[in-house]
């Protein structure tokens, strides 16, 4: 019998252990990741305020931001209006929407225990867009049954419909995954494809019924845009995001427990049903309000959580807060590209996001298939 000496066996075992640790453990300190994301947000913010139909210098931007409008010269007042009334609301809205979609992606991936799902892929975002589009087409007829006080609040009702659509799809997919053991199974993939196909069909039917004005609004929902930015919408979305972040500590503990399996989480003292329902409601709220404001934007909830998970590890205690900054950075970059790539025209931000997310999703599939082949 040949016995391996410590000199020959230990290094191999050590290298395998270190390799496994590198694959599963945290690679970068969270404070460093947060610092990089904050610096990136500051940089892309300056660029977003600088470029456009009128290019401003960095000194002019800082002067407008620091000094009040009363302290500016007559020639600098238009710059202040341009920054505070047009570019700044659009920048802040893109950051908030990105933060909401990325956070919702983390929640949905943690709920279904698979990093390849995201709100748009499994039909949550299209469900919200479908509900909002249905309201756009039939609102005039539906409002006749509402009290007169609600007829001037169409914006709020659109957001309510979008939230209801996202929530309905989320619960439907949750029921499907629960019957398959709570995981991301082939049945869930097929259910997501079926939801997306149904939504596309119904959106086509709504487009057929819509008039010219409604058809333009439906096109907006399908492609997405930040051109509708206003401080009122920013306050609403910021309030919703603030409420959800209040539940981040609870979500982080619950999703970490669900990663071990629902049975294991239950036996360790977690109320699994309450965690599931809370995750579904909060993720649907983030997606529904975001979609109701700026239209359907896909892949943000896939790209950001996956990259941050590779850098920070799978722990939701750091992953959820980091997703806020990561999503804000990604979508603000996409909005800047949408405004400048085809200048003076403007590309829909949904096209930019899909152009980035499609190849990235294909890369993840090929990477997962390669890893599966290595372990066979």
């Amino acid at each position: 019998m040949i016995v391996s000496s410590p000199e020959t066996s230990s290094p191999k075992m050590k290298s395998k252990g270190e390799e496994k640790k590198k694959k599963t453990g945290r690679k970068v300190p969270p404070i460093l990741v947060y610092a990089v994301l904050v610096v990136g947000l500051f940089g892309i913010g300056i660029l977003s305020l600088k470029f456009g139909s009128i290019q401003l210098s960095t000194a002019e931007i800082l002067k407008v931001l620091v000094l009040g409008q009363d302290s500016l010269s007559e020639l600098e007042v238009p710059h202040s209006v341009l920054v505070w009334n047009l570019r700044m609301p659009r920048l802040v809205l893109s950051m908030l929407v990105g933060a909401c979609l990325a956070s919702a992606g983390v929640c949905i991936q943690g709920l279904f225990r698979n990093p390849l799902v995201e709100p748009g892929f499994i039909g949550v975002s299209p469900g919200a867009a479908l509900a909002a589009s249905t309201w756009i087409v039939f609102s005039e007829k539906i409002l006749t049954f509402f009290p007169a006080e609600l007829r001037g609040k169409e914006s709020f009702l659109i957001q309510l419909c979008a939230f209801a659509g996202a929530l309905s799809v989320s619960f439907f997919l949750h029921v499907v995954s629960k019957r398959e053991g709570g995981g991301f199974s082939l049945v869930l993939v097929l259910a997501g494809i079926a939801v997306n196909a149904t939504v596309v069909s119904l959106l086509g039917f709504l487009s057929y019924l819509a008039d010219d004005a409604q058809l333009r609004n439906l096109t907006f929902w399908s492609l997405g845009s930040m051109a509708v930015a206003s401080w009122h919408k920013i306050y609403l979305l910021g309030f919703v995001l603030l409420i959800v972040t209040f539940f981040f500590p609870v979500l982080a503990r619950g999703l970490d427990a669900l990663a071990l399996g629902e049975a294991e989480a239950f036996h360790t003292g977690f109320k699994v049903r309450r965690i599931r329902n809370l995750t579904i409601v909060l993720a649907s709220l983030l997606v529904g309000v975001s979609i109701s404001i700026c239209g359907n934007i896909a892949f943000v909830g896939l790209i950001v959580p996956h990259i941050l998970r590779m850098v920070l590890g799978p722990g939701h205690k750091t992953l959820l807060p980091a997703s806020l900054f990561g999503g804000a950075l990604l979508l603000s970059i996409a909005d800047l590209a949408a405004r400048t790539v085809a200048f003076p025209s403007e590309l829909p931000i949904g096209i930019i996001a899909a152009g980035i997310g499609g190849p990235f999703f294909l890369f993840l599939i090929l990477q997962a298939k390669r890893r599966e082949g290595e372990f066979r």
Side-chain angles (χ1 to χ4, degrees):
M1 180 178 67
I2 300 175
V3 181
S4 300
S5 63
E7 290 79 4
T8 58
S9 61
S10 297
K12 292 182 179 180
M13 295 175 61
K14 184 178 180 181
S15 62
K16 290 181 179 179
E18 290 178 351
E19 184 179 355
K20 183 177 180 181
K21 184 177 180 180
K22 287 181 181 179
K23 289 183 179 180
T24 58
R26 182 179 296 163
K27 300 179 181 180
V28 181
I31 188 66
L32 180 60
V33 176
Y34 295 147
V36 171
L37 292 175
V38 170
V39 171
L41 281 173
F42 179 78
I44 198 65
I46 295 296
L47 293 177
S48 297
L49 297 177
K50 182 176 183 178
F51 293 105
S53 57
I54 300 175
Q55 184 170 336
L56 303 177
S57 66
T58 304
E60 289 173 334
I61 294 172
L62 294 178
K63 190 174 182 180
V64 168
L65 294 178
V66 174
L67 301 178
Q69 188 168 343
D70 296 335
S71 303
L72 300 176
S73 64
E74 186 176 350
L75 295 177
E76 293 171 333
V77 171
H79 295 168
S80 177
V81 175
L82 177 64
V83 169
W84 286 110
N85 293 359
L86 296 177
R87 294 184 184 176
M88 182 64 77
R90 182 163 182 154
L91 171 64
V92 176
L93 182 63
S94 64
M95 289 182 176
L96 288 176
V97 171
C100 289
L101 296 179
S103 301
V106 172
C107 293
I108 290 177
Q109 289 174 5
L111 180 65
F112 293 119
R113 301 202 298 275
N114 191 285
L116 295 181
V117 297
E118 68 102 23
F121 178 71
I122 60 176
V124 178
S125 297
L130 175 62
S133 300
T134 303
W135 174 262
I136 290 173
V137 176
F138 297 107
S139 59
E140 294 182 0
K141 297 180 180 179
I142 297 175
L143 283 174
T144 57
F145 300 97
F146 280 76
E149 293 79 8
L150 294 178
R151 295 178 186 177
K153 301 180 179 180
E154 289 85 355
S155 178
F156 170 75
L157 294 175
I158 289 177
Q159 291 153 8
L160 186 63
C161 289
F163 170 63
L167 185 65
S168 301
V169 174
S170 297
F171 270 112
F172 169 73
L173 294 173
H174 172 64
V175 171
V176 172
S177 67
K178 184 178 179 181
R179 292 181 179 178
E180 294 296 315
F184 184 77
S185 62
L186 178 61
V187 174
L188 183 59
V189 177
L190 297 177
I193 295 174
V195 169
N196 276 289
T198 304
V199 167
V200 170
S201 174
L202 292 176
L203 286 175
F205 178 70
L206 291 174
S207 300
Y208 178 78
L209 297 179
D211 56 29
D212 291 340
Q214 294 170 345
L215 189 58
R216 285 194 295 269
N217 289 332
L218 291 179
T219 303
F220 160 76
W221 291 113
S222 62
L223 298 178
S225 176
M226 295 295 167
V228 295
S230 65
W231 289 111
H232 170 72
K233 295 175 181 178
I234 288 172
Y235 297 148
L236 173 63
L237 191 57
F239 178 70
V240 170
L241 186 59
L242 182 64
I243 293 176
V244 175
T245 54
F246 177 78
F247 291 94
F248 271 7
V250 178
L251 287 176
R253 292 192 298 269
L255 293 175
D256 284 342
L258 286 178
L260 304 174
E262 292 191 0
E264 290 78 1
F266 176 78
H267 290 303
T268 53
F270 286 90
K271 297 180 179 179
V272 176
R273 180 175 297 179
R274 182 175 297 178
I275 294 172
R276 290 198 309 254
N277 294 339
L278 179 64
T279 303
I280 289 174
V281 171
L282 294 181
S284 301
L285 180 63
L286 292 174
V287 173
V289 177
S290 300
I291 295 301
S292 68
I293 291 175
C294 62
N296 190 15
I297 301 175
F299 289 110
V300 177
L302 171 69
I303 300 174
V304 175
H306 196 89
I307 294 176
L308 292 177
R309 193 177 287 107
M310 291 189 297
V311 175
L312 293 172
H316 289 86
K317 183 179 180 180
T318 55
L319 191 60
L320 278 170
S323 66
L324 297 175
F325 299 99
L329 180 60
L330 176 63
L331 208 58
S332 58
I333 293 174
D335 183 57
L336 177 60
R339 291 196 296 113
T340 57
V341 167
F343 184 82
S345 300
E346 179 181 326
L347 292 175
I349 193 172
I351 294 178
I352 303 294
I356 299 173
F360 185 81
F361 183 65
L362 180 60
F363 166 75
L364 294 182
I365 294 176
L366 295 177
Q367 189 181 42
K369 187 173 182 62
R370 185 183 63 183
R371 289 179 179 177
E372 182 182 354
E374 290 177 355
F375 286 102
R376 284 182 178 177

